[in-house]
Amino acid sequence: MYSIQQQYLRLKKQLLVGSFSLLGLCLGGATWYKVVEQWSMSDAIYMTLISISTVGFGEVRPLDSDRLRFFTITLIVLGVINIGYIVNRFTEAIIGGYVQEWRKLQEQQKRIDSLQEHYIICGLGRTGMQVAKEFFEENIPFVVIDSNPEQIAAARKLGYTCIEGDATLDESLYAAKIEQAACLVAALRSDAENLYTVLSAKTLCEKKKLRTVARASTEEGLRKLKRAGADEVVSPYITGGRRLAASALRPQVMDFVDGLFTGSEKSYYIEEIRLDQECGEYIGKTLIEARLRVQSGALVLAIRRSDRGQFEGKLIPGPTGETMLMFDDTLICMGTPEQLRKLNNLLLPKRTKDQLRMPEREP
């Protein structure tokens, strides 16, 4: 099955071939009448055009030889075939809507080219589609890559920005602006494809730290993906089993946690904020000195230290008031949307108001 892009390019090539063939036929006919039959140039061109177009005008000169009649018949037949071919290709392009779809693809590519710090989802299976749904509901800028035309068509109807191609190939990742992406989610159908995708993404973004999250079907695939450099590897079977066990043993806790992550309760959310150069006045202060809870109302649940320095990659759950804020820390905070926005404005005043990714779900 051809994609819209392939169909458009195929029809464009066929129309160009038909047009050049028609032009060559006109030049060949005019040359024959001029050189072989010794007609004037104006008579040669006129006779060629009325023969090819079959308009039915009379001959400019008598066709008094079998050779001339046979050549004119051949010119008429080839002209009818050529013009019919061009009309057929043009009609297919219009009726099939390929021109309109191609314009939509070009507009989509312009949107992709303007993206910065976006997310790339590789694969539109059940897992990838769910990831895309979550991103779409939370207004996260993302691009989807999949090789299945039917999946791509279904995703475009949902309003997703899609690229039809093989996510394991560099050209597909380049088309999704991998150099400007913040994170890549490899949710392809096999562990091998996810492995190739992660390796390709890491290779293409050597100068930039790209976060990669991959799906693994087996424990062996999970280990190999981690060795390949994936920052996070998720196994739906392991995660699903843990989730089922936790729901059976601690149902209220899991309902509360699900509500925090998805915003289904429309009250509290969990968000992460990284302390960078903009947070200069808070770096080196304790939580009591920073007064983040007092000023915003949001609660700091945990602090993840950066992978540099003395506390390399350390997670501090339930930090006390004496816990010091350090450069490149990631604060994991809980609060209402308004509280989290206040906290965000305190720590990152130069960022836009859309810095926090609040889900916008229907009640």
Side-chain angles (χ1 to χ4, degrees), residues 34-306:
K34 169 66 178 174
V35 176
V36 178
E37 303 299 334
Q38 297 297 311
W39 289 12
S40 67
M41 181 56 71
S42 60
D43 287 348
I45 295 175
Y46 183 74
M47 185 64 184
T48 300
L49 291 179
I50 65 173
S51 298
I52 290 177
S53 60
T54 65
V55 294
F57 292 159
E59 296 87 355
V60 294
R61 294 192 184 187
L63 304 180
D64 52 5
S65 68
D66 292 339
R67 179 186 68 185
L68 187 54
R69 293 191 185 97
F70 180 76
F71 176 77
T72 303
I73 292 173
T74 303
L75 194 63
I76 292 172
V77 172
L78 292 178
V80 169
I81 294 174
N82 207 295
I83 293 174
Y85 177 80
I86 293 174
V87 171
N88 179 270
R89 299 295 88 192
F90 186 76
T91 303
E92 182 182 347
I94 297 299
I95 295 177
Y98 299 120
V99 176
Q100 295 86 341
E101 290 296 329
W102 176 252
R103 288 177 180 173
K104 291 180 182 178
L105 289 176
Q106 287 183 316
E107 292 175 359
Q108 174 185 275
Q109 189 59 47
K110 289 180 181 179
R111 292 197 301 269
I112 295 174
D113 292 339
S114 65
L115 290 176
Q116 296 285 339
E117 297 299 314
H118 58 287
Y119 290 68
I120 299 175
I121 303 174
C122 300
L124 270 177
R126 287 175 294 181
T127 302
M129 190 62 81
Q130 185 62 39
V131 175
K133 179 182 177 183
E134 293 292 328
F135 284 180
F136 187 76
E137 289 179 346
E138 297 192 24
N139 289 326
I140 305 297
F142 69 94
V143 180
V144 176
I145 303 175
D146 197 276
S147 58
N148 189 323
E150 295 179 359
Q151 294 278 26
I152 290 292
R156 286 199 176 114
K157 289 181 180 179
L158 295 173
Y160 303 161
T161 301
C162 306
I163 294 175
E164 185 175 339
D166 188 347
T168 63
L169 300 179
D170 292 353
E171 61 185 27
S172 298
L173 296 177
Y174 277 128
K177 308 295 288 184
I178 186 71
E179 309 97 319
Q180 280 78 43
C183 179
L184 178 139
V185 179
L188 294 165
R189 295 161 183 79
S190 71
D191 291 348
E193 290 178 311
N194 290 325
L195 180 63
Y196 294 150
T197 302
V198 169
L199 287 172
S200 297
K202 289 291 186 180
T203 302
L204 297 177
C205 296
E206 288 180 334
K207 297 181 180 179
K208 177 187 176 181
K209 187 175 180 181
L210 174 74
R211 179 171 174 78
T212 54
V213 180
R215 171 187 180 274
S217 301
T218 63
E219 291 187 8
E220 183 180 0
L222 189 148
R223 291 193 298 269
K224 288 184 177 180
L225 281 163
K226 285 185 176 180
R227 287 202 298 267
D231 297 286
E232 191 72 33
V233 183
V234 178
S235 171
Y237 306 107
I238 296 175
T239 304
R242 290 174 178 171
R243 176 67 175 80
L244 286 171
S247 296
L249 298 174
R250 295 174 287 275
Q252 298 303 320
V253 172
M254 293 309 301
D255 287 344
F256 174 71
V257 172
D258 284 346
L260 290 178
F261 280 111
T262 63
S264 58
E265 297 297 327
K266 291 288 185 180
S267 53
Y268 289 96
Y269 299 88
I270 287 183
E271 188 56 78
E272 61 180 56
I273 302 176
R274 190 175 70 85
L275 304 182
D276 56 17
Q277 290 85 350
E278 286 189 42
C279 311
E281 64 175 290
Y282 293 99
I283 302 299
K285 289 185 178 181
T286 63
L287 286 174
I288 290 180
E289 295 170 338
R291 302 178 70 247
L292 299 179
R293 179 71 185 276
V294 175
Q295 296 184 74
S296 67
L299 175 65
V300 179
L301 296 178
I303 298 177
R304 168 73 72 177
R305 297 294 189 200
S306 68

Side-chain angles (χ1 to χ4, degrees), residues 294-336:
V294 175
Q295 296 184 74
S296 67
L299 175 65
V300 179
L301 296 178
I303 298 177
R304 168 73 72 177
R305 297 294 189 200
S306 68
D307 55 1
R308 302 186 296 272
Q310 180 181 359
F311 304 100
E312 184 174 333
K314 182 181 179 182
L315 177 67
I316 305 175
T320 66
E322 301 301 322
T323 303
M324 184 176 295
L325 300 177
M326 302 175 65
F327 175 75
D328 220 16
D329 279 354
T330 299
L331 306 185
I332 301 173
C333 312
M334 181 183 75
T336 65

